[in-house]
Amino acid sequence: MRPASLDEIRAANERFQLASPQEILQWGVERFFPRLLMATAFGAEGCCIIHMLSEIQPATKIINLETGYQFPETLELRERIKARYGIEVEYIYPETTVAEYEAEHGGPLHVLRPDQCCYDRKVLPLRRALQRLAPLAWISAIRKDQTAERQKADVVQWDQKFQLVKLNPLLNWTKKDVWAFIHRYNIPYNPLHDQNYPSIGCWPCTRPVAPGEDDRAGRWAGKVKKECGLHVVEVKDGEGI
Ligand code: SF4
């Protein structure tokens, strides 16, 4: 299978500007499967995409970065998805357990150096997984209206950081679209969403939001950090789109 050229990526992005998420995923499957990957933190958006993939190509490889700091509700959701769709999301682990990691650094790094913690427990394990799985494209569940950074994303783009084509099939969906889809198809979702956790990551870096707060205000609350580094858009002159 040949990798996508920048011209092909550009053309696909133009073609799918107004397409449905299913149409974008269908193209991604036809063009890249089995070298197509989805990484999910089991957010509401990710659950919608898993549901769609269960109908389009249920053998699509799906991974979760199991940092060791995820909520029990998140781990349980993986089992509920397996029961519902027969899809077993693969856990990608860091090299050390939480106990080993905290002992090595004299305490939890997520308190004082969350960027380092995310790098060690998410970015590095993801890079190792990408080397092993060798996908040509991956699927993310980001939405444009989540952060200013995500506003810059395209439906189909070149991911400079990970050197992959990135499909963002839900980019133009709103939160309302996501929840309408979840309720319409009775899709399993994290029960923490019903307890004022609109965005769920690791438990030490996630708190519920108050009425009127931004959906991602509960992620790394009190810190400048708003992304774990996986979905930061990196486009260099002449590269990517
Ligand atoms: S979200 Fe927090 S606990 Fe999880 S890897 Fe990042 S800093 Fe560490």
Side-chain angles (χ1 to χ4, degrees), residues 101-161:
Y101 189 63
E102 294 189 357
E104 185 188 329
H105 293 284
L109 272 195
H110 55 75
V111 178
L112 292 175
R113 288 162 57 201
D115 281 336
Q116 183 69 46
C117 184
C118 275
Y119 185 76
D120 293 339
R121 304 195 74 77
K122 290 184 178 176
V123 177
L124 279 184
L126 175 61
R127 283 196 193 282
R128 280 193 294 272
L130 292 178
Q131 272 180 357
R132 171 172 58 87
L133 298 167
L136 292 177
W138 70 328
I139 301 162
S140 99
I142 62 170
R143 298 196 334 259
K144 235 177 204 169
D145 63 2
Q146 286 168 320
T147 65
E149 185 65 35
R150 294 179 183 192
Q151 289 274 344
K152 298 183 221 162
D154 281 314
V155 173
V156 183
Q157 65 184 125
W158 178 245
D159 188 327
Q160 182 65 29
K161 177 177 273 189

Side-chain angles (χ1 to χ4, degrees), residues 67 69 110 114-115 117-118 121-122 202 204-205 220 225 228:
T67 60
Y69 289 112
H110 55 75
D115 281 336
C117 184
C118 275
R121 304 195 74 77
K122 290 184 178 176
C202 297
C205 303
W220 300 284
K225 184 175 172 63
C228 61

